Amino acid sequence: MRQSMIVLAAVLTAAPTLLPAQGRTFQVPENCTPVMTVQTRACTVSNFWTCEGDEEGDMWRADSGQRGPFYLSRTDFEAQWVESFGLVSGTAQTLKEPSADPASFSELVENGLDAYDFIFVDLVGTEERVVGFDQLTGEETEIDGEPLLVTEYAARITENDELVYAAEGQQFISLRHRVFFSGVDTSMRPDQAPNTADRTPVSFAYPG
């Protein structure tokens, strides 16, 4: 947790420098190494990096919009969300382990389908259950020179067995980086109209 707080503080401190669209350069936290920067059709930028002291395969990501960073997460070798932070809302969630059915990047690649059932816990102990699946469509694509596999997914998030969020749509995975990238999906919350968004990557940039 201490490592996470250091990374979180560093990202918030560097907030004014996170937007390449403004001609600025993203600076990763101390003892961390930049991996890539991805821009999407939704006019957001995601910076990815790794840090010393983390488990092998862990990957950090910070999402930024026109007003600066709004989301920070750490995933592991199996692309599980280990922890995430809402930088505007002040929320934080961590993965409760062991999971009933952990998400597995390896299973998705090997079998073409991965079902999952896991729980997130927030700062006050509230639990949200996430149940869903990722499935390879068999389609391959290339975006800005980056080879990607196309997936489809559906997921439901419940709290005390009450639906709080549901989503389905398309995503992309990178075999090289073992991460997911959003595509076109539709999400829904109770008492709200469904919302469709296109967050497909349009460009990839690497250090140097």
Side-chain angles (χ1 to χ4, degrees):
M1 179 60 70
R2 181 176 180 273
Q3 172 79 347
S4 300
M5 292 301 100
I6 292 174
V7 171
L8 178 60
V11 169
L12 292 175
T13 300
T17 72
L18 293 181
L19 299 178
Q22 297 178 355
R24 296 170 179 166
T25 302
F26 174 70
Q27 300 294 329
V28 301
E30 187 177 357
N31 298 320
C32 299
T33 303
V35 175
M36 61 182 165
T37 298
V38 182
Q39 187 160 350
T40 77
R41 289 181 183 169
C43 295
T44 60
V45 172
S46 297
N47 287 286
F48 293 79
W49 68 94
T50 59
C51 292
E52 295 179 11
D54 285 341
E55 296 293 329
E56 184 176 357
D58 282 6
M59 181 83 75
W60 287 94
R61 184 185 103 204
D63 293 344
S64 302
Q66 293 182 340
R67 297 183 179 180
F70 58 85
Y71 178 76
L72 173 69
S73 70
R74 177 168 64 94
T75 56
D76 65 10
F77 183 73
E78 292 296 346
Q80 295 185 105
W81 289 308
V82 178
E83 53 188 341
S84 60
F85 304 88
L87 303 182
V88 177
S89 61
T91 57
Q93 290 183 311
T94 57
L95 178 66
K96 182 179 180 179
E97 298 184 281
S99 298
D101 185 359
S104 173
F105 191 94
S106 298
E107 185 170 336
L108 172 62
V109 173
E110 292 172 8
N111 301 323
L113 175 67
D114 175 47
Y116 47 79
D117 183 350
F118 58 85
I119 290 175
F120 279 132
V121 184
D122 69 12
L123 294 171
V124 296
T126 302
E127 296 187 353
E128 290 187 340
R129 182 183 179 189
V130 184
V131 179
F133 72 88
D134 295 304
Q135 183 172 9
L136 294 178
T137 65
E139 180 183 355
E140 300 180 17
T141 189
E142 184 175 296
I143 299 176
D144 195 28
E146 192 74 23
L148 302 170
L149 302 183
V150 181
T151 74
E152 59 184 14
Y153 81 99
R156 291 167 54 88
I157 301 178
T158 58
E159 183 181 321
N160 296 322
D161 295 325
E162 294 290 331
L163 180 69
V164 295
Y165 181 82
E168 61 181 20
Q170 179 192 65
Q171 293 183 313
F172 306 89
I173 61 170
S174 166
L175 297 180
R176 177 160 66 124
H177 298 296
R178 296 183 69 88
V179 297
F180 283 81
F181 303 105
S182 296
V184 179
D185 59 22
T186 300
S187 59
M188 181 189 71
R189 297 182 184 275
D191 303 322
Q192 294 184 11
N195 177 62
T196 298
D198 186 353
R199 304 180 183 88
T200 301
V202 295
S203 67
F204 290 80
Y206 292 91

